[in-house]
Amino acid sequence: MVEVGRRRRRRRGRRRIRKLAEGERRRLGWGGGGGEGGGKSEPGGVAPASSNFQALPGGWGRGGAGACSGRIQDQMAKWGEGDPRWIVEERADATNVNNWHWTERDASNWSTDKLKSLFLAIQVQGEEGNCEVTEVSKLDGEASINNRKGKLIFFYEWTIKLNWTGTSKSGVKYKGHVEIPNLSDENDVSEVEVSVSLAKDEPDTTLLALMKKEGVTKIRGAVETYIRTLKTEFTQGMILPTLNGETVDPAPQLPVKAEESKVKSGTLASQPKTVGVKIPTCKIVLKDTFLTSPEELFRVFVTQEMVQAFTHASAVLEADKGGKFHLLDGNVTGEFLDLVPENKIVMKWRFKSWPDGHFATITLTFIDKDGETELLMEGKGIPSPEEERTRQGWQRYYFESIKQTFGYGARLF
């Protein structure tokens, strides 16, 4: 009864959030009609204005993070001159300009199919025999994703029952059940309760211990995969693309003098690349808090699909010691020097416009703070002229973008 009451309270809370969002849309005239932005919902009818339309040079991303200074402004920022959360872009379908409106996507049917496919693929084997999940007998609940101001907020709550069959080395079959009563966005994967038992009238067997140990591990892995894919695969399209899918051109490269070109082409094959003039460097330190576990935040930085999600650009990475990475369409490159799961990432890191061959050393430290994660970023060897741009780039296009994409900065009261 306590669990039922808790679920009812959560559902009432979600309905209250949706009603507040709908009321906000009507008040501002964003799709409800009759609002202050006019009788129709059209791009540019009512939109927040920014006090800062200055974009960072060098191709870091798509502009700065302005502050809301008014609801109506005669001249909106031109494309490419500011933070995309504030710029009203043209869209051929006139749909949810800049993802400013509250939108919701029901993920229940997708989640049902995904969870069934993951659970039914579970098999474990040991000296006692082997076990496998044969049926998903109960899968009650719901899942949804909300987008507000380009920030994704995830809701999911499931009650699950599975049937499993074990076969001993002698060929004797046993049947049992698995119950997962509390799979929800409120709990970390490690906190999800997984109860394994034998079916009624089944005799004791060592296969039960195998299923409780190895089986539960694989079940938690399936749950973890579901949550990760929910936040990556199913969210595709929630953050709407810009006009014609255009992106900001990377920073133009300085032309190479003819004499320098000849020297390089003449010596490249015969001599190793030598170190050039020593450049002045500096150190930067950033700290921020994310509403997720160190394990989940660590995975954001080392999973290619999740990196592509928060950078909104192509990315290639090998999440191993010595593995290379190319982010933001090649504007950021580097190499992983050390990876300590849930604890630390050390990497060589450079921006495309930096002097050839120069890398900074970036250390990310993940600190558990009672269910939240404090992320400490320390960068050594940053070219001194690039200090401020690098600091702002990490804050906006790593920290803030991760919070907006995965909802790690959203607090719901």
Side-chain angles (χ1 to χ4, degrees):
M1 292 299 293
V2 174
E3 182 68 21
V4 172
R6 186 180 67 83
R7 287 200 294 266
R8 286 176 178 171
R9 287 194 296 273
R10 291 192 62 202
R11 290 193 181 103
R12 285 198 296 269
R14 291 178 184 176
R15 286 195 295 269
R16 191 178 303 114
I17 291 172
R18 292 166 186 164
K19 287 181 180 179
L20 289 171
E22 183 61 31
E24 182 183 15
R25 286 199 294 268
R26 287 196 299 268
R27 181 176 66 83
L28 297 178
W30 293 346
E36 296 180 26
K40 298 180 180 179
S41 174
E42 297 187 13
V46 176
S50 170
S51 62
N52 175 17
F53 293 115
Q54 181 62 43
L56 291 174
W60 246 109
R62 291 187 282 272
C68 179
S69 60
R71 284 174 39 208
I72 301 178
Q73 193 175 42
D74 294 335
Q75 290 185 339
M76 301 306 295
K78 295 180 180 179
W79 164 241
E81 293 186 1
D83 192 319
R85 291 172 297 172
W86 306 96
I87 304 170
V88 175
E89 306 166 14
E90 296 179 11
R91 284 186 57 84
D93 55 7
T95 303
N96 198 7
V97 178
N98 300 319
N99 307 283
W100 192 260
H101 305 180
W102 181 291
T103 60
E104 182 177 27
R105 178 180 291 180
D106 186 0
S108 299
N109 291 336
W110 177 89
S111 295
T112 298
D113 295 338
K114 190 67 176 178
L115 286 168
K116 284 183 176 179
S117 66
L118 290 169
F119 288 135
L120 292 175
I122 293 175
Q123 295 182 340
V124 293
Q125 191 164 358
E127 295 179 357
E128 306 88 346
N130 61 77
C131 302
E132 62 178 340
V133 174
T134 55
E135 182 186 9
V136 180
S137 58
K138 180 179 180 180
L139 190 55
D140 293 343
E142 60 179 339
S144 63
I145 305 173
N146 294 281
N147 170 24
R148 179 69 173 98
K149 299 182 181 179
K151 180 184 296 181
L152 297 179
I153 304 170
F154 298 88
F155 293 111
Y156 54 88
E157 185 173 30
W158 297 98
T159 300
I160 303 167
K161 290 185 178 180
L162 312 174
N163 293 332
W164 62 273
T165 299
T167 306
S168 67
K169 289 292 186 180
S170 60
V172 179
K173 291 187 179 293
Y174 300 86
K175 293 184 179 181
H177 309 294
V178 176
E179 291 191 23
I180 307 174
N182 65 336
L183 175 54
S184 76
D185 54 90
E186 290 185 342
N187 300 317
D188 188 74
V189 173
S190 61
E191 300 172 336
V192 175
E193 180 182 351
V194 181
S195 176
V196 180
S197 62
L198 284 169
K200 188 177 181 181
D201 298 329
E202 286 284 350
D204 290 338
T205 172
T206 54
L207 292 175
L208 178 59
L210 174 65
M211 195 63 187
K212 283 186 175 182
K213 184 178 180 181
E214 303 297 332
V216 168
T217 299
K218 289 207 170 185
I219 288 170
R220 290 191 190 279
V223 170
E224 187 176 10
T225 300
Y226 160 69
I227 296 171
R228 183 174 65 251
T229 52
L230 174 67
K231 294 181 177 182
T232 54
E233 293 178 11
F234 192 76
T235 56
Q236 296 298 317
M238 288 289 287
I239 306 296
L240 296 176
T242 57
L243 179 62
N244 298 325
E246 295 176 352
T247 57
V248 177
D249 293 333
Q253 298 299 303
L254 295 176
V256 180
K257 295 181 181 180
E259 294 81 358
E260 295 176 350
S261 178
K262 289 180 182 179
V263 171
K264 287 183 180 180
S265 62
T267 59
L268 183 61
S270 59
Q271 297 180 4
K273 191 171 183 179
T274 58
V275 179
V277 178
K278 187 174 181 179
I279 63 173
T281 61
C282 62
K283 173 183 175 181
I284 64 173
V285 176
L286 293 173
K287 185 186 295 184
D288 209 337
T289 301
F290 296 78
L291 306 185
T292 187
S293 65
E295 178 185 10
E296 186 70 20
L297 186 59
F298 180 91
R299 191 161 44 247
V300 169
F301 284 92
V302 297
T303 304
Q304 181 168 312
E305 293 79 10
M306 300 181 82
V307 172
Q308 291 181 153
F310 78 77
T311 60
H312 307 290
S314 62
V316 177
L317 60 89
E318 302 170 14
D320 296 303
K321 188 174 182 179
K324 304 291 183 16
F325 57 83
H326 301 263
L327 316 182
L328 292 166
D329 296 320
N331 282 312
V332 171
T333 55
E335 176 183 340
F336 291 111
L337 300 178
D338 193 17
L339 293 165
V340 182
E342 307 175 33
N343 184 270
K344 183 170 66 174
I345 297 175
V346 183
M347 54 187 161
K348 289 170 57 180
W349 188 98
R350 64 173 270 106
F351 195 65
K352 190 175 182 179
S353 61
W354 288 7
D356 288 345
H358 182 80
F359 287 84
T361 300
I362 302 293
T363 301
L364 301 177
T365 305
F366 303 80
I367 305 168
D368 192 353
K369 295 285 188 179
D370 297 325
E372 301 178 354
T373 302
E374 181 181 275
L375 179 59
L376 177 65
M377 176 272 196
E378 183 180 271
K380 296 180 179 179
I382 308 292
S384 295
E386 301 286 328
E387 176 182 1
E388 189 59 28
R389 185 160 71 97
T390 303
R391 185 190 303 276
Q392 291 182 13
W394 266 89
Q395 184 66 48
R396 295 179 184 177
Y397 303 109
Y398 276 87
F399 290 7
E400 292 181 11
S401 185
I402 287 172
K403 287 183 177 183
Q404 292 163 11
T405 301
F406 302 111
Y408 294 162
R411 289 184 182 272
L412 298 178
F413 298 96

